[in-house]
Amino acid sequence: MGTMFRSEEMVLCQLFVQPEAAYVSMYELGEAGIAQFRDLNPHVNDFQRRYVSEVRRCSEMERKLRWVAGELPEPPPPPKPDRCSLSPREINILEERIDFIESEIQEITRNARNLKSDYLSLIELKTLIEKMQTFFQDHSAQRKISASVQIYNNDAVLGHLGFIAGVVTTARIPAFEKMLWRISHGNIFFKQAQIDEPLKDPITGHELQKTVFVVFFHGEQIKLRVKKVCHGFKATLYPCPATYKDQLDMLAGVGTRIKDLEMVLEQTENHRRLVLTNIARDISTWMVAVRKEKAIYHTLNMFSMDIVKKCLIAECWVPRRDLTVVQKALENGVKASGSPIPSILHYVPTHETPPTFNRTNKFTRGFQNLIDSYGIASYREVNPALYTIITFPFLFAVMFGDVGHGIIMTAFAAILVIYEKKFSKVQTDNEIWNIFFGGRYIILLMGIFSIYTGLIYNDMFSKSLNIFGTSWRNVYEDGVLQNHTMLELDPKTAYTQTPYPFGLDPAWQFASNNIIFLNSFKMKLSIIFGVIHMAFGVTMSVVNFNFFKKQEMIFLQYIPQILFLLLLFWYLCLLMFMKWIMYSAVAEDPASGTSCAPSVLIIFINMMLLKSSEDKPPCRAMMYDGQDQVQKTFLAIGFLCIPVMLFGKPVYKMIMAKKRKQYQQGVETGEEVEKEGHDGGMAEELITQCIHTIEYVLGAVSHTASYLRLWALSLAHAQLSAVLWQRVLIMGMGYPGVNSLKLYVIFAVWAFFTLAILVLMEGLSAFLHTLRLHWVEFMSKFYEGQGYAFAPFCFTDILENEDDERKAAAETNGGPPE
Amino acid sequence: MACKFCGPKLSLCGLVLSVWGIIQLTLMGVFYYIRAVALLEDLPLESEGGHHSIESFIATVEAGYTQNAYNCWIAALLYVITLVVSGHQFWMNNRSSVSM
């Protein structure tokens, strides 16, 4: 459990590895993900590094694999868990195989494309001939034409009609026709018919709308011109026999060729599918292997060579607890390479700040993320995430207290948690879903705590639960009840003097002063929680001071700070407790009756402003004897703490500096001058301390007030849910029958608004306010957050990141238009 | 044999809503039936102070409670039908996505 309390101890290690052993060792380290390597040749260009060619080779393989994966009809199955590393020889084989597969698929694709374009032209020819037959046959008006054409083509008579037939894109037909008309001065006859079923473009696979046309003309000159126009409009011309018999023969020939081609096409497609399915099984595994390979060489590029080029030198940060794993990885590398020289690991003492590393599991990760998004903890500083696990859901629930909404939230989170294995396999881009899934344990705890606070507030969808029986009773006669719509219940007589065992008495739901009572109660609770939370935060700084050997700061900073907070604000809380205990409706002494209960806030303000108030018999101005003196003492001590906070640290530093100087002069080791240069020293120190002090003193006031958001949001939540019930759900009540149908619809509406507004929106707002209370009010008291995160060399991270990057790239480029 | 008229999302939504509706409306019906005071505000009590005696007032309240209880239960029954329909649709959707 100690791991969560502060970040782990890190060691800077130097590794001396034989180049032959390096690969296997790095593979093991990458699987373990425990070492953060430092770039030892930052000034070397990327292209001048040692393993550039390997990295480039891997990139090339990755590109090819990506291309092949794009050719697959459906996304490949996830990679098999495969923990053994690939030897250089296996990598070579894999590379050759990938090369072969790529060229094979390219070949198949090219062949298929050629076949398809042949097929397309055959189909076009076939339809062309079919249409031609109708052109030539049906109309009686055209018989003449066809007759003359036949004569012309038989070369029997010169100067009769010729024709050209072809296929052109439908969209171009009007322009085409007009152009033909123009060039021939109207001396041609143009016939067209659209091809009904759309054809497929062999390259893109898009659908093509094409039209068959025949142009009849007269004379060679026009023929040439028509051909030119056809060429310009990218029309495909087909030789078409003029006689009916020839046409039939040709049709038959084309038919058989089409059939043959169809068969060949089908076989090609089958072959291609077979090749692809064979690959699909392994492609993800290969992809992972190649990516790992690339990552290893990328990391090896960060190492430096020793002078004689006999071994690689690496520097890395490793958690002290994982040193044995590193040692093991190095040994395995040596064993695998069979070299007689062992790899060496040794620690380098350093003054650099190590990275911050908090070991988390699936439960604590969410909470650690909440803290880390504010700032990564300084190295070995107290980690607030540990306390956040409880305080975060609790403060959230204070604002969100409602049993019903809590149950909804718990049920949702419970489903996420129970089926987490199933859900985590499904990779989605849905950001909202990922946020909910990542924070499932936070949501679960928030839901459970909300049920608890809801029971305390006795709110379930704004209705109270009367579990134990209320402690209030009716004291009025029937006659009085009949004539009044509202009556006052005096706690002296109507209250049974035994409190409701758990939470709020359900009778308050009907009280018209419900809100007034709850406001006063919740406001006081908020301030009490707030002061405790802040005092705890301030106390956490003691742990830091102790750990970093700055014990003097306990006296110079912690004690004045905590005194200031406790004497002023915890005293306010104490007054609240006293008010709750000392005053009662059944008190015999009138001075402690309900009418004499003082306003705590006014007492506190008077204490601050040094005002005194007079007794108004039978009430007393003060709650206890000597209160005035006690308050004045508290105030005086509280304000005396401010100069200590302000000058304590600078003065202490000044004295220490002077002492050190005297000591150095005494010993006369004048050569070693103090390295930390104090430029502007004292003034700067004073200014920072001044800012800190002002921040703390003003913060103590404003942060205490800031905790009132607990009350404000809780009030808003309760009122909203009450309004939703009274304005919406009640509409469905009444005589059963039609109203039941109405209730059926109204309930759906009510459920939608409950979910959208009360659970989602209010939940989000309460979450954000809780986050603020932790970041600003709690963590500002002790948290530095100046560290940098530990980023180990880890395969799982690398693979995940690349997936994300690829997805992002695909999104920005946009998929092909559909 | 059966027609599919809801998508996977709509049928899931109907499923969740009807489960929630059945649980809450049945419980509300029970609470009305045992005359839970917390739900008094929901009763359709027309005239304020228009009752001649406490007895008549109590009678109105009792009638209101019973009436609301049956109302809730009928609505809950309607949600049972919704549950069956959307459950069937959900099943159909799941099955078709598997077979494809």
Side-chain angles (χ1 to χ4, degrees), chain A residues 508-544:
Chain A
W508 283 104
Q509 194 202 319
F510 295 99
S512 59
N513 59 348
N514 173 16
I515 295 183
I516 299 170
F517 167 71
L518 277 181
N519 279 355
S520 127
F521 171 67
K522 286 180 179 172
M523 270 196 234
K524 283 174 180 139
L525 272 190
S526 311
I527 297 296
I528 292 168
F529 288 146
V531 174
I532 293 174
H533 198 208
M534 286 193 293
F536 180 63
V538 176
T539 309
M540 289 318 290
S541 64
V542 176
V543 183
N544 275 339

Side-chain angles (χ1 to χ4, degrees), chain A residues 225-237:
Chain A
R225 282 196 211 159
V226 169
K227 273 196 173 160
K228 243 177 218 164
V229 172
C230 289
H231 183 72
F233 277 86
K234 289 189 179 146
T236 358
L237 302 180

